[in-house]
Amino acid sequence: MTQPISFSRRDFLAASAALAAAGLTPFPARAQGAQPFRLGALNSITGVGGPYGPAMLEAIKIGVDEVNAAGGAAGRRFQLYAEDDQTKPDAAVLAVKKLIEINKVEAVIGIWPSSVGLAAMPITNAAGLITMNTCGAPEMLTENKRGLAWMFQASNAVFGRAFAEVARQRGFKRPAVMAFNNSTFVGQANYFRDAWKQGGGDVSAFVIYEPNQTTYRTELNKVLATKPDVISLSAYRPDATIILKEWFQTGQDCKFIMPGWTANEDLVKALGKEATEGIISISNVAAHEHPAYKQFAAEFRKRTKREPDIFASQSYDMVITLALAIEAAGSTADVAAINGKIRDVTGKSGAEKVSGFAQGQALLRAGKPVDYDGASSRLEFGAHGETVPDFGVFDIHDGKLALKEVIAGKV
């Protein structure tokens, strides 16, 4: 982290007097005394989100360090306060209240599951706070009534339609649906069914199952009895592991389409190559060719010895986007004014593209508009605060994910 430059009070007064005579005010003088920006990180460190939350928090720390090393956003350094939502709405409510009432945060970022996002939003809205998340439930858009929530992950309405389109392109005729009973996955399942029906077909079975069971054989048998050629399985990895193991034991032939945060190499490790062969995995993919991704990924690898996933990339983007909005709004801006600058620093037509905070900071201080091209996507937010990163369509073959195509995301 860079150290503040030291100079005498006499030097400061002399320099300030010279600039004042020219009608100018030095930025350090304007930013001097700027209050730190109190930033809350609400991550799923434990619970079903445990495979993702720690990496998301590390990505947030990388972003915070980057901003603070540049002297802060509009002179405001980030102070980070982190809480574990346990991937549970009730725990999230307590955690977000602590962040607001005890830590006095001005924004809450890093929210992973929609159940947490929907539970936290009434509280953060009432407090007038910015939130940034990777939630996919369509209700996140309709409940964003104050325009303070920003979705860095595609809505599951988009995921559901993408699943249906890929199934149709692959030539499947009799899809069935199984979905974990929460707002994210039920929304994804409904949009799959609706998109399939719009194409002139119907699903052979539609089963919503309750979580935390030791077996899902009853629900699975209802689906398999309809002889589907593909199952759209909207699941987390723990329940998907049980379902796929029980399916494999039946010997019945069919394929699966699944979200990429579930159908990945960790699933292969849990089940083996044979049981996972041919699974179609669809996920948002990070913007691997963007300079922002390359810079972030290098630091993430240095700290964690692993590649960042899409959720980590999105979490880093939350910090940089927020910091650029603060820089654009100024050191004395309130939360509403900062929120109003988020679209101005992302996806702005004709603005100079930037890939990091310091680069954007310099341009903003020179009075030039910026367009942050993120590590996760282009970050062009829609009317409800949503953005859509690119989709990657993968096949699991011989225990590895093979990328078959990339579908450009559109808001």
Side-chain angles (χ1 to χ4, degrees):
M1 183 177 295
T2 57
Q3 297 298 316
I5 298 171
S6 176
F7 51 88
S8 70
R9 183 173 182 272
R10 180 181 297 174
D11 292 336
F12 177 80
L13 291 174
S16 297
L19 286 166
L24 301 173
T25 305
F27 179 82
R30 287 186 279 119
Q32 189 178 31
Q35 293 296 312
F37 189 94
R38 301 168 77 87
L39 178 63
L42 186 62
N43 298 115
S44 298
I45 304 300
T46 56
V48 295
Y52 318 106
M56 294 173 72
L57 179 57
E58 190 60 46
I60 289 169
K61 290 177 180 178
I62 290 171
V64 165
D65 288 348
E66 180 180 329
V67 173
N68 288 347
R76 302 184 68 182
R77 293 177 180 270
F78 281 141
Q79 287 184 350
L80 182 63
Y81 301 87
E83 291 291 331
D84 177 13
D85 61 39
Q86 303 174 39
T87 331
K88 296 177 181 178
D90 53 350
V93 166
L94 295 176
V96 79
K97 285 183 176 179
K98 179 184 176 185
L99 288 171
I100 295 170
E101 296 169 6
I102 305 300
N103 303 130
K104 308 296 183 184
V105 301
E106 298 164 80
V108 178
I109 68 173
I111 298 170
W112 180 69
S114 297
S115 58
V116 166
L118 290 168
M121 192 182 294
I123 301 167
T124 55
N125 273 350
L129 302 191
I130 295 168
T131 61
M132 294 178 168
N133 63 70
T134 66
C135 303
E139 294 90 340
M140 289 296 298
L141 308 183
T142 57
E143 291 304 308
N144 187 18
K145 293 180 170 60
R146 295 194 61 183
L148 291 167
W150 301 88
M151 278 61 76
F152 284 68
Q153 171 83 347
S155 162
N156 277 295
V158 181
F159 263 104
R161 289 193 291 268
F163 277 33
E165 183 58 31
V166 170
R168 190 170 283 112
Q169 289 176 356
R170 295 290 182 97
F172 294 112
K173 303 298 183 183
R174 288 181 55 79
V177 174
M178 285 189 73
F180 184 105
N181 190 10
N182 69 5
S183 55
T184 294
F185 287 135
V186 172
Q188 189 178 103
N190 284 330
Y191 276 96
F192 178 97
R193 178 172 59 183
D194 293 346
W196 192 263
K197 286 184 175 180
Q198 288 169 6
D202 202 353
V203 298
S204 67
F206 188 90
V207 174
I208 306 299
Y209 62 85
E210 297 302 321
N212 303 318
Q213 300 185 56
T214 57
T215 177
Y216 297 94
R217 196 173 298 278
T218 298
E219 296 90 339
L220 178 63
N221 286 341
K222 289 180 182 177
V223 173
L224 294 178
T226 66
K227 300 291 192 277
D229 54 4
V230 65
I231 297 173
S232 173
L233 179 59
S234 297
Y236 292 123
R237 193 158 65 238
D239 42 299
T241 302
I242 297 171
I243 291 168
L244 287 167
K245 183 181 292 185
E246 292 179 337
W247 159 76
F248 188 68
Q249 290 169 351
T250 70
Q252 185 165 326
D253 184 32
C254 73
K255 299 294 185 182
F256 286 83
I257 296 180
M258 298 169 59
W261 59 82
T262 299
N264 52 33
E265 292 182 6
D266 287 331
L267 185 70
V268 176
K269 290 178 184 176
L271 289 169
K273 295 179 181 180
E274 194 174 359
T276 53
E277 181 70 18
I279 290 176
I280 302 166
S281 174
I282 301 178
S283 65
N284 285 147
V285 290
H288 291 92
E289 298 307 312
H290 285 191
Y293 176 82
K294 293 176 181 178
Q295 294 163 16
F296 160 65
E299 181 62 24
F300 188 88
R301 283 192 293 269
K302 179 181 175 182
R303 296 192 186 195
T304 68
K305 312 303 180 188
R306 53 172 282 196
E307 291 293 323
D309 60 20
I310 183 62
F311 299 121
S313 301
Q314 289 164 343
S315 299
Y316 169 80
D317 282 345
M318 293 175 195
V319 179
I320 304 305
T321 299
L322 179 61
L324 289 172
I326 296 169
E327 184 70 43
S331 61
T332 61
D334 62 13
V335 172
I338 294 167
N339 192 64
K341 292 293 184 180
I342 288 175
R343 281 193 174 87
D344 287 350
V345 298
T346 56
K348 191 176 183 68
S349 178
E352 185 168 343
K353 292 189 180 297
V354 299
S355 57
F357 175 72
Q359 182 188 10
Q361 178 191 59
L363 288 168
L364 288 168
R365 291 184 181 181
K368 298 178 180 179
V370 301
D371 174 8
Y372 175 56
D373 254 4
S376 64
S377 77
R378 293 177 300 280
L379 298 179
E380 297 175 2
F381 291 101
H384 302 287
E386 78 281 14
T387 190
V388 183
D390 293 343
F391 284 95
V393 182
F394 302 79
D395 286 353
I396 296 182
H397 176 64
D398 194 30
K400 302 291 184 181
L401 267 74
L403 179 63
K404 295 301 181 181
E405 62 177 314
V406 174
I407 304 170
K410 295 179 182 179
V411 174

